[in-house]
Amino acid sequence: MDEIHGKKEDGTVQIRVDGDLTGKTADSIISGGHLEAEINGSLGTPENRMNTDVDSIKAKADDIYLNNISDKMEIRGMTAENIDIIARGDIFGKAVRSGNLVIRSNGHTGYSDNPLLIHVSGNVDIGSAYGEVHYVNSYRAEKPSEEKPGQKQNHDSKEKPERKPSSQNEKEPGLSESEHGAAEISGAVKTGDSAPTEANLYLALLSLAAVILLLKEKRRKNR
């Protein structure tokens, strides 16, 4: 496509494509108040991002690569295996579902009282050049399955919003104490370890006492 324009204030641009949707040139753009895109393929590419100038967006595609130039863009739902967005202004919203998510904004990404709500099972890489970053990842890795006693296995349950904490108290921005603990989980569970328990120690002491008594009795007889 070359250019698609809708009314900027409250106009809606609806696009459905049975295949990939890419720009004809580097200046190709979709503009309007709201964009709804259902693409049975890729929306933009890493080398040729789809330029948008919209206030809100709802999109579904195999992969999404956007360059949005509006002052603010609200995500009202976005689903793809890989989502990669560059935003000139703020970006916020909810229902962002993907395997991997990358966002680079000049403004804020989410707000302290309205964090960006995402559900991402893989890598999360969110950064802001001049603003703040506030998001909550609702993804949870599956719990390790139950094992029979005596088995020894290691399980890793990981969820990585792959950003370094940037706030003063070393937490992910936009998360409360309880949310921070739940949003980044990395642990190992072991069953069937051979570490001595309290009962095992007690039995060992009894065995040692019995041996000592036997040795004393043997010495007494030898005398």
Side-chain angles (χ1 to χ4, degrees):
M1 53 145 284
D2 191 2
E3 295 183 1
I4 300 176
H5 299 286
K7 189 176 180 180
K8 183 58 181 174
E9 290 76 14
D10 57 0
T12 296
V13 176
Q14 292 182 323
I15 302 175
R16 290 181 176 85
V17 178
D18 189 16
D20 298 335
L21 178 62
T22 57
K24 182 178 180 181
T25 69
D27 297 324
S28 298
I29 191 169
I30 301 172
S31 69
H34 176 66
L35 171 62
E36 290 187 5
E38 186 172 339
I39 312 299
N40 189 22
S42 177
L43 176 58
T45 67
E47 299 77 20
N48 184 19
R49 295 174 181 270
M50 179 59 65
N51 297 315
T52 58
D53 183 5
V54 296
D55 297 328
S56 62
I57 184 171
K58 182 176 182 180
K60 182 178 181 180
D62 291 345
D63 298 298
I64 295 176
Y65 299 92
L66 296 181
N67 177 37
N68 187 68
I69 64 173
S70 65
D71 293 335
K72 290 184 179 182
M73 183 175 75
E74 176 187 4
I75 299 177
R76 298 181 181 177
M78 186 174 287
T79 303
E81 177 59 29
N82 296 292
I83 297 177
D84 192 327
I85 301 174
I86 295 175
R88 187 181 71 177
D90 294 355
I91 183 168
F92 62 102
K94 60 184 180 180
V96 180
R97 303 180 67 89
S98 66
N100 301 288
L101 175 65
V102 178
I103 296 178
R104 290 287 181 266
S105 66
N106 282 339
H108 301 294
T109 299
Y111 305 106
S112 58
D113 59 345
N114 185 23
L116 178 68
L117 302 181
I118 66 176
H119 187 91
V120 180
S121 59
N123 293 326
V124 177
D125 187 358
I126 300 177
S128 171
Y130 305 106
E132 298 178 352
V133 173
H134 300 274
Y135 71 90
V136 174
N137 188 0
S138 63
Y139 174 78
R140 297 289 181 271
E142 293 183 1
K143 295 181 179 179
S145 59
E146 294 185 358
E147 298 155 31
K148 297 180 181 179
Q151 290 181 332
K152 183 182 273 189
Q153 296 182 8
N154 292 337
H155 297 276
D156 288 325
S157 175
K158 297 182 179 179
E159 178 189 349
K160 297 182 179 179
E162 302 226 353
R163 290 189 70 253
K164 293 183 179 179
S166 57
S167 62
Q168 294 180 354
N169 57 357
E170 297 299 314
K171 296 190 305 180
E172 288 289 353
L175 298 182
S176 65
E177 288 289 342
S178 60
E179 289 170 332
H180 174 75
E184 184 171 346
I185 301 172
S186 179
V189 177
K190 294 183 179 180
T191 62
D193 282 347
S194 59
T197 64
E198 186 176 342
N200 289 335
L201 290 173
Y202 180 70
L203 292 174
L205 289 174
L206 287 178
S207 299
L208 180 61
V211 170
I212 292 173
L213 289 174
L214 288 173
L215 289 174
K216 286 183 177 180
E217 182 65 20
K218 185 176 182 180
R219 287 178 181 176
R220 187 182 66 81
K221 290 181 178 180
N222 290 334
R223 287 177 186 175

